[in-house]
Amino acid sequence: AKRLESQESAKYVNAFARFNHVNWSEFDPSFVSSYPTFYSLLCRKMIQKQPSKTEKDSITCPVDGRVVTYQTLQDCQDLWIRGSKFTMDKLLAGAIPPSLTERIGNVNKWAILGARITSSEYLGVHMPYPGKILHVFEKDGACYCLTPIVLSQEVNVLTDNTRTILMVEADIGIMIIVLFNSLDAYSCQIPHKIGDEVKKGELLAFYELIQ
């Protein structure tokens, strides 16, 4: 944390942004010289854009990173996780309150979108679809890395890691958004409270360095 926020780290900002093809027109401020530290680059603010007509009814990726999607939990286990240790009950860790259990239905039949933020990009998480926050649950745990190599080892990364679980009510149903902490240097922050209406594309959460 101290190194990424030091004035010395500013000398890496320009080369890093060029190497990763950062599109400055998408961010505010839009000039590389406006970022005095390396950490300020990772926490830059994305310019809010109105979704097009074709985007309004779609679910967008909440982060800038690598994405996988599955129609059901079984598909996820067969094609990626390959193990019986990963279950929705373990993933959610009792996050669903009894008052919402009936409305949720069988979570094992839900579609799954997994997205991993790449270290070279942006640490914000944006709302994939408009809705109202119904419930927020914090689960303490480990901070294993979420790379594919670690996921294939004998550790239960997706069920043991520290995570924040949000339940969001939308016109398409209830969405469950699980935000993982994968490094002990970062903490997930949510600038919203239960009952807040969050627009599609609005900043939902962000990761910040722990001092």
Side-chain angles (χ1 to χ4, degrees):
K2 289 182 179 179
R3 290 181 61 188
L4 290 178
E5 290 192 319
S6 68
Q7 291 184 344
E8 183 183 1
S9 70
K11 64 184 180 182
Y12 300 108
V13 169
N14 196 26
F16 188 86
R18 284 202 315 269
F19 180 81
N20 291 286
H21 308 289
V22 173
N23 183 356
W24 290 110
S25 66
E26 296 180 348
F27 301 96
D28 181 23
S30 300
F31 302 97
V32 66
S33 58
S34 301
Y35 298 89
T37 66
F38 196 87
Y39 181 57
S40 67
L41 172 68
L42 297 179
C43 295
R44 60 195 182 276
K45 182 180 179 181
M46 182 172 284
I47 296 174
Q48 195 72 36
K49 297 179 181 178
Q50 291 297 323
S52 66
K53 290 183 179 179
T54 57
E55 294 174 330
K56 285 184 177 179
D57 295 329
S58 63
I59 297 175
T60 58
C61 181
V63 301
D64 196 346
R66 300 176 182 179
V67 183
V68 289
T69 59
Y70 303 95
Q71 291 299 314
T72 66
L73 174 65
Q74 188 62 53
D75 291 339
C76 183
Q77 290 174 324
D78 291 345
L79 299 175
W80 183 42
I81 303 301
R82 294 189 180 279
S84 60
K85 296 177 181 178
F86 173 70
T87 67
M88 290 300 286
D89 288 340
K90 290 181 179 179
L91 176 68
L92 299 177
I96 303 176
S99 59
L100 294 175
T101 301
E102 186 174 339
R103 293 180 60 190
I104 290 294
N106 186 353
V107 293
N108 292 319
K109 295 182 179 180
W110 283 30
I112 295 174
L113 182 150
R116 181 168 65 88
I117 298 176
T118 57
S119 60
S120 63
E121 266 305 333
Y122 168 72
L123 297 180
V125 180
H126 290 256
M127 194 69 160
Y129 195 89
K132 181 175 72 173
I133 297 178
L134 294 177
H135 186 62
V136 179
F137 181 82
E138 302 282 350
K139 174 64 177 176
D140 290 332
C143 281
Y144 296 121
C145 183
L146 296 179
T147 64
I149 292 177
V150 177
L151 288 172
S152 65
Q153 303 302 311
E154 290 300 316
V155 292
N156 302 332
V157 175
L158 296 183
T159 57
D160 286 357
N161 269 35
T162 298
R163 54 201 181 276
T164 301
I165 301 168
L166 296 92
M167 299 183 65
V168 177
E169 184 173 35
D171 59 19
I172 58 172
I174 293 178
M175 299 184 295
I176 299 177
I177 300 173
V178 184
L179 304 170
F180 290 93
N181 282 10
S182 63
L183 296 172
D184 57 4
Y186 288 94
S187 175
C188 182
Q189 303 297 317
I190 302 174
H192 300 283
K193 61 183 183 296
I194 294 173
D196 283 357
E197 296 276 355
V198 186
K199 297 178 181 179
K200 180 178 179 178
E202 186 178 347
L203 185 69
L204 178 65
F206 59 92
Y207 288 89
E208 67 176 12
L209 289 167
I210 298 175
Q211 300 299 322

